Amino acid sequence: MIMDPNLIGQMMLEGGEITSQQLDEALLEQKKTKQKLGTILVKMGAISEGVLIKYLGKKYGVPSILMDETEFDEGLINMIDPKIVQTRKVFPVKKKQRTLFLAMANPFDIETIEEVQFALGLDVKPLVTSEGSIKRAIAKYYKVDSRIDEVLADLEKTTGEGIEVVESEETPDVSQLLAESGAAPIVKLVNTIVVDAVNRRASDIHIEPFEKEIRVRYRIDGALVEVMKPPKSMSSGIVSRIKIMSKLDLTERRMPQDGHISLKVSGRGVDLRVSTMPVIHGEKVVIRIAEQEGIQLDMRKLGFDPKSLEIFINSVEKPNGIVLVTGPTGSGKTVTLYSALARLNKIDVNIVTAEDPVERNLHGINQVNVNEDIGYTFAEALKAFLRQDPNIVMVGEVRDKETAEIAIKASLTGHLVLSTLHTNSCSATIMRLVDMGVAPYLIATSLVCIQAQRLVRKLCTSCRQIMEVDKELFAKMGIDPRWAEGVTLYRPKGCLKCNSTGYRGRVGIFEVMKITSNIKTAILDGANSDQITKIATQEGMTTLRQDALMKMRSGITSFEEVVKATVE
C-alpha cells in the first residue's frame, strides 16, 4: 500500500495541531534535508512527539505506542537478534501467546514483518511510533553502540543520512560519505561516530587507545558516556581518517596537533575542533562539537535571575571599562560573551574580537584567530585592535600581565573591553589580577563588573521524581535546610528521553559582582577574596551557591548538581 508521505501534515493541519505556515516551512525543510515531515515538525517545536505518534496511528490505521512511557520485558528483548533491531529500526513491545507486537515507524513494511516472523516463528502485529523513540529504546536496551559489528552492519545499509565535508564556501556540498557503497569501513565508522554524537547532543567526542581496545566516549550534558569499544586494530585507521579530514600531518605521531573540520550532518552545519595527543598506546583524539546554529544568543534565556541579568546588561552597555566573565573550562563563558556581543552589535558600533579559536562567525563583528606559534598572541592582537578605531573589544582570555595591562589601558582610553579568566569566583578574579602583577589602583579604576558562572545539568522533566529532604545531609554539605522548606524538590530517575541519566540539557548558574565604590575601596586597601565577597553579598550580590539553590527549588536541577557545581 502506497501512501502520500505528506498526508500526516494535512491531517495535523485539519486537526488544528499546526498552522498552514508551519506546514509550509516544514515542507520547505523537507525538500532540503529529505527527512520525514513529522520528524521535522517535532524538531521545529510545532508539535510534540506524542502528537506525532497519535497521528501516525491515524495515518496508518494501526494502534500507536508511546515508547518513552512504556516498560519492556528484557527477556523478550533478548529473543530478537540485535542486528535485525538495529538495521530494521523495530522494537519488540510484548508477546501474547503466538503473537509478537512490534513497534515500527512504518507498519506497512511487509519485508521487515516477514523477516521477524521467519526469525522468531511468531505472528507479528505492528504498532506505530516515531523513529526517534525506537532509536532511543534500541540505544537503552540493546546497547548497540558498544558492539562494533552491529555498527558496521548498520553502516552497510545506510543510504541518504550522513555527513558532508564542507571544504570551502564555494563548494559547501560534497558526496554523502555514509551513502558511498564503496567506502572503507573505517570511513563509515568515523562518520557514524560523528553523526551519532551530533544527534545525541554531545559536546565532545573522546577516542582513547588502550592496550587491547579503543574506547569511544561522548560528553553529554557535561558527563562522559561510553558508547563503543572498537577493536585495537582499528586505532591507526580511525586516527588517520580524522587527521585527513582535519588536514593534519599523518606522519607526525610524537607531538600533539590541532585541526578543524566543517561538516554538514543531516543538513545541519557543524564545526569540529580536533586535538590529537600521543599516549602510551597510540594517539588520543578529542573532538569538540559546535553546531553553527546551535548557540543560544539571547541573554534572557541563559539562566540569569532578573536582578543579576539587569546588572550584567547595564555593565556591558557602558561606553568604557572592563567586564570579565570567569569560570572553569567548559562553563559556558564564550556563549555568555557571544550573547553580549550579539546585543551590542549595531551598525554604528565597531566591534573586534581576538579568539583562540573563533568558535562561531558573528555577522557584523570583526573576528580574529590568535596564533601563538607565530607570535600573534592576545596581547599583540589587542595592540593591533587599538589602531583599528574600535568601540568594543573582546579578548578571548587574559592570560598574563601584558594582556591585562593593555586591556586596562584600552578601557581607560574610552573602550569597552570584554574578556575571560579561569577563576572560581568573582572575588578570586581580583586576586588573580593582583597575582599577575597588575597594580590594585588600575584594577579598581578599570573594572566595571565581574561575572562568574558554571553549568549544571537540568533534570529530565519526563522522569524526575520527588526527593525526600535529608536535613542532616543538607547541613553536612553546607546548605541551610531552610532552602528546602515549603517547596517540592526533585531527584533524577532516568528514562529513554534522557538516555537513562535523569538529566537532559544544561543551564547556567551565575554570580554577578558590580564593582561599587565600596569594592573599589576594598581593592585599594588590599582586601582578600573573602572580604570582597562579604561586601558584595551585603550589597545584594547573589552567589553561585544561592543561584544554584534557587534553580533547585524551582525543580530545574538536583541537590547533587548543586553540591557538585558549588563546592564551598
Side-chain angles (χ1 to χ4, degrees):
M1 179 177 181
I2 299 176
M3 246 182 222
D4 178 2
N6 296 329
L7 173 63
I8 194 167
Q10 188 62 37
M11 293 171 65
M12 290 182 186
L13 180 64
E14 293 173 358
E17 304 289 352
I18 58 174
T19 65
S20 56
Q21 181 180 353
Q22 288 172 325
L23 179 57
D24 290 341
E25 289 176 4
L27 289 171
L28 185 62
E29 181 70 14
Q30 187 183 43
K31 289 181 181 179
K32 297 177 184 177
T33 64
K34 308 301 181 184
Q35 290 180 310
K36 293 180 179 180
L37 187 64
T39 301
I40 294 171
L41 287 167
V42 171
K43 288 183 177 180
M44 287 171 50
I47 58 170
S48 67
E49 194 169 48
V51 170
L52 169 61
I53 292 169
K54 180 179 74 172
Y55 276 86
L56 285 172
K58 290 182 179 180
K59 172 183 175 180
Y60 290 109
V62 300
S64 60
I65 180 172
L66 296 172
M67 300 284 285
D68 295 335
E69 299 177 8
T70 305
E71 293 292 332
F72 300 103
D73 179 358
E74 297 207 16
L76 177 61
I77 288 167
N78 293 331
M79 288 177 59
I80 300 185
D81 186 341
K83 292 183 180 179
I84 295 177
V85 171
Q86 176 66 8
T87 57
R88 294 295 190 175
K89 295 296 183 292
V90 296
F91 195 88
V93 175
K94 63 181 178 180
K95 177 175 171 285
K96 190 174 182 179
Q97 296 178 343
R98 298 293 303 167
T99 300
L100 174 69
F101 292 86
L102 192 69
M104 307 176 66
N106 178 9
F108 289 167
D109 184 353
I110 303 302
E111 183 180 347
T112 294
I113 291 173
E114 289 179 346
E115 181 177 351
V116 175
Q117 286 181 158
F118 179 78
L120 299 182
L122 298 172
D123 294 330
V124 171
K125 293 287 185 183
L127 301 174
V128 69
T129 191
S130 67
E131 188 171 313
S133 64
I134 291 178
K135 288 180 179 178
R136 290 193 296 272
I138 292 172
K140 178 178 179 181
Y141 288 96
Y142 281 92
K143 313 293 185 189
V144 292
D145 288 330
S146 66
R147 304 182 187 181
I148 192 64
D149 56 336
E150 293 162 26
V151 173
L152 294 176
D154 183 45
L155 290 174
E156 295 298 332
K157 299 194 177 186
T158 303
T159 58
E161 182 178 356
I163 67 176
E164 309 166 6
V165 181
V166 181
E167 296 180 339
S168 71
E169 292 183 1
E170 288 73 30
T171 57
D173 296 313
V174 287
S175 59
Q176 295 184 340
L177 298 178
L178 281 177
E180 291 180 353
S181 59
I186 291 291
V187 172
K188 293 185 176 182
L189 175 60
V190 171
N191 292 335
T192 294
I193 291 172
V194 173
V195 171
D196 186 43
V198 172
N199 288 339
R200 292 170 66 169
R201 304 176 298 105
S203 61
D204 301 86
I205 302 169
H206 289 240
I207 302 173
E208 304 159 305
F210 295 99
E211 185 177 4
K212 296 181 179 179
E213 65 186 14
I214 310 165
R215 181 172 66 182
V216 179
R217 295 189 291 174
Y218 301 156
R219 188 175 294 280
I220 302 174
D221 296 333
L224 284 169
V225 178
E226 184 179 296
V227 293
M228 66 172 69
K229 288 185 177 180
K232 184 64 189 294
S233 60
M234 290 185 169
S235 180
S236 60
I238 291 172
V239 174
S240 295
R241 173 59 186 163
I242 293 171
K243 284 184 174 181
I244 289 170
M245 294 172 72
S246 52
K247 298 180 174 60
L248 298 180
D249 185 353
L250 280 172
T251 62
E252 180 55 77
R253 298 184 179 90
R254 299 168 299 172
M255 296 290 291
Q257 297 188 68
D258 295 315
H260 174 264
I261 311 170
S262 290
L263 304 172
K264 282 191 176 180
V265 178
S266 304
R268 294 139 63 190
V270 176
D271 288 325
L272 306 180
R273 287 161 50 189
V274 177
S275 172
T276 68
M277 181 180 70
V279 293
I280 60 173
H281 294 298
E283 287 182 271
K284 176 181 177 179
V285 179
V286 175
I287 303 173
R288 170 63 61 87
I289 302 171
E291 290 201 45
Q292 294 167 0
E293 302 300 325
I295 298 179
Q296 173 58 257
L297 296 182
D298 187 343
M299 295 178 68
R300 296 167 298 180
K301 297 180 180 178
L302 295 179
F304 283 95
D305 71 84
K307 180 183 174 182
S308 297
L309 178 60
E310 182 182 2
I311 295 171
F312 188 67
I313 288 176
N314 289 339
S315 299
V316 299
E317 289 182 343
K318 288 185 179 296
N320 58 274
I322 296 179
V323 176
L324 293 176
V325 176
T326 76
T329 301
S331 59
K333 299 185 298 295
T334 300
V335 174
T336 300
L337 285 177
Y338 276 4
S339 301
L341 291 177
R343 184 182 183 89
L344 299 170
N345 188 12
K346 299 183 174 73
I347 194 66
D348 60 343
V349 176
N350 180 20
I351 303 176
V352 287
T353 76
E355 304 173 56
D356 183 22
V358 173
E359 293 191 19
R360 181 182 174 181
N361 181 28
L362 301 174
H363 179 72
I365 293 176
N366 303 285
Q367 296 170 271
V368 174
N369 273 313
V370 299
N371 188 343
E372 295 195 358
D373 291 340
I374 60 172
Y376 192 43
T377 62
F378 283 120
E380 292 300 318
L382 193 46
K383 291 177 186 176
F385 287 173
L386 297 180
R387 298 189 289 270
Q388 292 283 317
D389 187 33
N391 300 104
I392 300 169
V393 175
M394 187 191 95
V395 182
E397 184 183 347
V398 176
R399 294 179 178 172
D400 50 45
K401 179 182 177 182
E402 182 184 13
T403 307
E405 289 187 338
I406 297 172
I408 288 170
K409 290 176 182 177
S411 72
L412 296 176
T413 54
H415 304 89
L416 177 68
V417 180
L418 309 179
S419 191
T420 71
L421 258 138
H422 287 86
T423 57
N424 292 323
S425 67
C426 292
S427 58
T429 302
I430 296 170
M431 299 299 102
R432 177 76 180 107
L433 291 171
V434 172
D435 289 343
M436 285 182 182
V438 181
Y441 79 90
L442 289 176
I443 299 172
T445 53
S446 61
L447 272 182
V448 172
C449 176
I450 305 172
Q451 181 245 300
Q453 68 181 70
R454 301 284 189 280
L455 291 175
V456 295
R457 291 185 291 176
K458 295 164 64 178
L459 285 164
C460 175
T461 55
S462 296
C463 66
R464 65 182 185 180
Q465 292 182 329
I466 293 175
M467 171 188 175
E468 293 184 9
V469 177
D470 185 336
K471 292 185 178 181
E472 290 185 5
L473 179 61
F474 270 55
K476 183 179 178 181
M477 294 295 132
I479 299 175
D480 188 339
R482 288 176 295 180
W483 274 92
E485 291 179 358
V487 296
T488 301
L489 302 183
Y490 295 92
R491 63 180 179 86
K493 179 189 176 186
C495 66
L496 290 177
K497 284 188 176 180
C498 61
N499 200 30
S500 300
T501 64
Y503 298 97
R504 186 169 174 82
R506 292 191 289 176
V507 67
I509 56 172
F510 301 93
E511 176 180 290
V512 181
M513 179 188 288
K514 181 181 178 181
I515 308 302
T516 63
S517 58
N518 288 334
I519 293 177
K520 289 181 180 180
T521 300
I523 295 171
L524 294 171
D525 291 343
N528 61 34
S529 59
D530 289 340
Q531 291 169 329
I532 293 173
T533 298
K534 184 177 180 180
I535 294 170
T537 52
Q538 288 173 345
E539 293 181 340
M541 182 185 78
T542 301
T543 66
L544 285 168
R545 169 62 65 89
Q546 290 169 343
D547 192 34
L549 287 170
M550 286 190 288
K551 289 181 170 64
M552 181 184 73
R553 282 171 57 91
S554 300
I556 295 172
T557 192
S558 68
F559 172 78
E560 292 80 6
E561 285 293 294
V562 170
V563 172
K564 184 171 69 174
T566 61
V567 176
E568 294 185 344

